Amino acid sequence: MQLGKRAGLRSGKPMRDVFGEALLSLAQENPRVVVLDGDLGNSTKADMVRKAFPERYFNIGIAESNLVGIGAGLESCGLIPFLTSFSSFLLCNAYDQIRLAVAMSNANIKILGSHGGITLGKDGPTQMGIEDLALVGGMPTMVILVASDPTIMHKIVHGSAQHTGPVFIRSSRVVMPFIYPEDNCPFTIGKANVVKNGDDLTIIACGIMVASALDAASELAEEGIEARVLDLHTLRPLDKETLLRCARDTGAVVCAEEHLLHGGMGANVARLIAESHPVPMRFVGLRDTYTDSADPADLLVKYHLTSQDIILAAHQALNAKEKIS
Amino acid sequence: MVEHTYDKGEWTSITRDLRLDILEMTTRAGSGHPSSSFSAVEIVTALYFGGVMRYRSHDPHWPERDRFILSKGHAAPLLYAALSRAGYFPHSMLEKLREIDSPVQGHPVKDMLPGVESTNGSLGQGLSFGLGCVLGGRLTGKDFHAFVLMGDGECQEGQVWEAAMAASHFKANRLIGIIDYNKYQECGPIDREMALEPLRAKWEAFGWRVEEVGGHDTEAVISKLQRLRKEPEKPGLLIAHTVKGKGVSFVEADYIFHGRALSPEQAAKARKEITSCS
Ligand SMILES: Cc1ncc(C[n+]2csc(CCOP(=O)(O)OP(=O)(O)O)c2C)c(N)n1
Ligand SMILES: [Mg+2]
């Protein structure tokens, strides 16, 4: 599996390595950054900080509720805690603790949910975060960020620390290609990035699906269809202005996400578009199912999360658009 | 240190005033947890008015302050009454408990009122928060203590024991837990619903230094807490044996009063009992 191959994207790095490097560079810059780990630092790569700054690194053990509470206590002393684990373990084990101590308290805490989506692959559904974005969606004060490439992961980690308040960062385990140049990319919380221009329809994606959307757009271009591709790296606050402009300009939208369709990115984009400028929409994502454990590439095919699925959805959306006009 | 130190003679008048505040607030609001609040009046008096905690009510975010975490957040009326009498905000605010547009929330929400350190009301979460405070103090070069008040029923939550394990692992000697051991939870007596005993042995097995006390003897509570403050290595736990509803005979006698405000008639009787006992 090589995401972004069709679109000619350069191969990147495993996102957890990128996260670990970004967190380490942030910890070097900012002495207030502390890291809490739920005994997964070697998987999330948060442990890069452990080696450099052992006094600012706490392995709380396999106790996510306690991890969140301790993080909140540290925050109350003016520190900036990064709570790190798999997104499924943090959100499913410690939802109420995050709700009270982070979200309701408007605490300046950053949460890394690693191994989001299904592409952790062979460890199977107990480890996967297919509902994480819906769960954090239930916390009204939480900024929600999804990383789509190595460059933006650096920006997200540093940007989250500059923002005062609760932030959730979702990452996936896989190698993500470079969507942006290696040294820089635009990143403002709440401001979506147009990563490819086009006026026939808009593909709105987050996480690994941005690369697949670019693959799909390359194939569509060969058919003479010019798709605009949006990297929606911030799910809260939603970039209403850009989303509505895309709906207005292109008249058809496909949403693609590595998440359940129920309560995910597409559902929230659809609400916004339906409210202000309805256009035909189609959705690529998990349809009310858990997955099995297998190679990530096989899972993406089986559960219809590939560039081919995006192309299919694009044709459907374009057909619907034609019927209207 | 505390701006105003109170002497022994004043404690009974403080505990009486706090009970009256709790009674008036919850009766006025028509809801709340008066019996759970009455239970811990002497404990909170010891902390705020017995010289155990250092704080500056005019500077609620003073970095050196000791932290008080009301993990049994449903005793919020007691916390608010104590904070107002300690000078954090005007006493008249107490009338706004549970009203629209008021910061005097049904359960504590962090920073909604000066002196409210954390968001509580879902039981089991405060000890972790207190531990985080102590670790944060260590990192930032502050030597404050964190005091966490828990219910006995609350100790049925798994997170309490996660925090208990971690606190002794981190040798968090500036963390002091207090259990309001009133032997009742919401639906009945603890030993019938979900037994906790041997409670002391459990905490000791988790590596804590444990003291026990009669929880309505303010002076004894103070001296035990002062002793735990001096512990050089282990986190400290005070098991305070209390009576749920303490101070109002008919509330003491029936756990059914958990989570219920008194009717105006019951409140009149209660007011008389509280006022006459001093
Ligand atoms: C997680 C959670 N579950 C249930 C409740 C509802 N509840 C509020 S008070 C209470 C009983 C608490 O008993 P205890 O800890 O002994 O406190 P007491 O009122 O006796 O001081 C319950 C079950 C809650 N607040 N939080
Ligand atoms: Mg009790």
Side-chain angles (χ1 to χ4, degrees), chain A:
Chain A
M1 177 181 76
Q2 200 186 322
L3 299 167
K5 190 176 178 184
R6 186 69 205 247
L9 302 180
R10 256 176 336 112
S11 175
K13 285 186 188 176
M15 287 302 274
R16 48 189 184 153
D17 293 344
V18 181
F19 170 76
E21 287 161 12
L23 189 61
L24 177 59
S25 71
L26 177 68
Q28 281 160 344
E29 271 170 32
N30 190 336
R32 287 162 65 213
V33 168
V34 294
V35 178
L36 289 91
D37 169 23
D39 205 34
L40 279 166
N42 56 348
S43 298
T44 62
K45 300 297 177 191
D47 67 357
M48 290 193 192
V49 176
R50 182 178 206 162
K51 285 159 206 149
F53 303 105
E55 73 288 353
R56 285 196 269 149
Y57 189 92
F58 301 91
N59 184 359
I60 303 305
I62 309 149
E64 292 73 19
S65 308
N66 193 34
L67 185 160
V68 172
I70 292 175
L74 286 160
E75 189 267 355
S76 77
C77 299
L79 299 162
I80 306 174
F82 274 70
L83 315 182
T84 64
S85 181
F86 287 14
S87 72
S88 59
F89 298 149
L90 274 175
L91 287 169
C92 301
N93 272 287
Y95 193 80
D96 194 30
Q97 288 74 13
I98 298 173
R99 187 172 69 99
L100 266 69
V102 182
M104 220 177 274
S105 300
N106 230 321
N108 191 25
I109 290 177
K110 320 302 160 188
I111 299 174
L112 170 81
S114 83
H115 295 61
I118 65 172
T119 45
L120 64 86
K122 294 192 176 178
D123 279 330
T126 62
Q127 320 292 299
M128 291 172 182
I130 63 165
E131 64 285 83
D132 52 349
L133 300 176
L135 289 171
V136 279
M139 299 179 179
T141 55
M142 187 84 72
V143 166
I144 306 171
L145 304 176
V146 186
S148 60
D149 105 320
T151 309
I152 206 166
M153 177 58 108
H154 272 274
K155 292 274 188 174
I156 282 177
V157 169
H158 286 260
S160 72
Q162 273 154 23
H163 171 88
T164 304
V167 178
F168 178 81
I169 302 170
R170 193 219 214 190
S171 182
S172 302
R173 183 177 183 275
V174 284
V175 175
M176 292 195 199
F178 282 99
I179 286 161
Y180 302 101
E182 202 162 336
D183 53 339
N184 207 1
C185 74
F187 175 71
T188 306
I189 289 176
K191 191 88 201 77
N193 291 344
V194 176
V195 293
K196 183 190 167 297
N197 282 312
D199 288 326
D200 294 330
L201 84 157
T202 308
I203 307 173
I204 300 170
C206 63
I208 66 161
M209 299 307 282
V210 179
S212 299
L214 287 168
D215 285 337
S218 300
E219 261 189 77
L220 287 167
E222 286 167 17
E223 303 174 32
I225 298 167
E226 287 304 327
R228 184 179 299 182
V229 178
L230 208 62
D231 176 3
L232 192 61
H233 53 70
T234 306
L235 302 192
R236 183 188 283 121
L238 270 182
D239 182 357
K240 185 171 175 180
E241 193 196 319
T242 304
L243 290 170
L244 292 184
R245 179 160 41 80
C246 291
R248 225 177 289 120
D249 289 353
T250 66
V253 166
V254 169
C255 290
E257 61 195 305
E258 190 193 4
H259 187 274
L260 285 174
L261 289 181
H262 198 104
M265 177 201 79
N268 288 293
V269 170
R271 172 178 47 78
L272 204 140
I273 289 179
E275 233 166 32
S276 301
H277 190 92
V279 296
M281 294 184 73
R282 292 296 181 271
F283 302 89
V284 173
L286 288 173
R287 293 179 182 267
D288 282 346
T289 181
Y290 292 107
T291 78
D292 32 358
S293 59
D295 185 84
D298 294 335
L299 288 175
L300 290 174
V301 171
K302 176 168 174 183
Y303 293 96
H304 303 292
L305 296 178
T306 67
S307 56
Q308 296 310 309
D309 299 296
I310 296 174
I311 291 168
L312 203 67
H315 284 300
Q316 290 170 356
L318 284 169
N319 287 343
K321 175 182 165 183
E322 255 166 50
K323 271 190 208 143
I324 293 171
S325 57

Side-chain angles (χ1 to χ4, degrees), chain A residues 96-97 99, chain B residues 33 35-37 39-40 71-75 107 120-125 149-157 179-188 190 196 242 244-245 258-259:
Chain A
D96 194 30
Q97 288 74 13
R99 187 172 69 99
Chain B
H33 296 74
S35 69
S36 306
S37 299
S39 179
S71 193
K72 47 170 272 186
H74 57 287
H107 290 74
N120 293 96
S122 179
L123 291 164
Q125 301 189 13
L149 179 59
M150 294 170 280
D152 44 5
E154 183 180 2
C155 292
Q156 291 156 0
E157 280 285 356
I179 294 177
D180 179 358
Y181 199 2
N182 58 28
K183 321 295 185 294
Y184 282 92
Q185 54 193 100
E186 178 155 341
C187 295
I190 302 263
L196 288 171
T242 53
K244 194 153 174 170
H258 177 94

Side-chain angles (χ1 to χ4, degrees), chain B residues 82-116:
Chain B
L83 288 174
S84 84
R85 290 193 177 270
Y88 282 87
F89 48 80
H91 190 255
S92 57
M93 288 291 287
L94 300 184
E95 291 167 21
K96 298 190 172 5
L97 178 71
R98 295 177 173 235
E99 282 192 7
I100 190 81
D101 291 334
S102 146
V104 194
Q105 300 281 299
H107 290 74
V109 178
K110 185 175 193 249
D111 293 330
M112 285 282 273
L113 276 171
V116 175

